[in-house]
Amino acid sequence: NHNVLSTIAAKRTMKNPFSPPPPTLSFSNTTAQSIHLQAKSIQSIFLQSIDAIKRGSIPENAKRSPLGAFQFLSMALGHASAASAAITLPSMVHADASIRKASNHWKNEFKGMFDEALSDRELYDILVKWQTVDNKNVRGADDEDEDIRFQRNILKILHRNGCSLESTFSRTVIQQKRRKIEETCTAFCSAINEQ
């Protein structure tokens, strides 16, 4: 899901103050340590962005926009998705087994990070309020509008990930199962790549 959303996010013009440009994609100087350092930076920027939405401390131009929180989330997802390619791609193509292993580790971490953010009840509640403020994205709005589709897709993903459930336990179970599925998929892909 975050790949589709990152494509939409790439078209946005708002700047995220936490986001430097994504790194150039090159593996010639890649080490397990460089993967770790870059990944920690991507993770930190993404989590700061999510926290800013939850604290209501998104940039003023975003607060004035009827799409504010959605647009800021779009930028955070887009940056993290694009930047994570340099971290996760070596798991499939790099000759060094230690680099593939580090890359696989961060593939799981990023998937968990995206799943956690897109399963966050507090974030869901904030976005539902922004949707209500906008009013353009209610039934009958222009379905061709990219911003409206993004809002609907994000809310659908959050809903599917259990955010509308009242039970914290149920939301946690869903998140744990999704993480286990991703770890199994990564292990499967890793085994194929090592053959």
Side-chain angles (χ1 to χ4, degrees), residues 6-70:
S6 67
T7 301
I8 294 170
K11 297 179 181 177
R12 304 283 185 242
T13 58
M14 183 193 318
K15 298 225 183 241
N16 181 332
F18 304 113
S19 299
T24 304
L25 193 58
S26 169
F27 304 124
S28 60
N29 295 320
T30 301
T31 65
Q33 181 64 17
S34 70
I35 284 177
H36 177 74
L37 293 174
Q38 285 179 317
K40 289 300 277 182
S41 175
I42 295 164
Q43 185 180 51
S44 174
I45 290 166
F46 181 77
L47 294 176
Q48 286 176 41
S49 298
I50 297 302
D51 189 53
I53 294 169
K54 290 163 63 172
R55 286 192 334 265
S57 61
I58 59 177
E60 285 303 316
N61 62 338
K63 288 180 184 175
R64 288 189 299 271
S65 166
L67 306 170
F70 284 99

Side-chain angles (χ1 to χ4, degrees), residues 91-92 104 107 183-194:
S91 70
M92 297 179 280
N104 271 319
K107 189 187 296 187
E183 288 171 355
T184 303
C185 288
T186 299
F188 177 77
C189 290
S190 177
I192 289 172
N193 291 329
E194 294 301 319

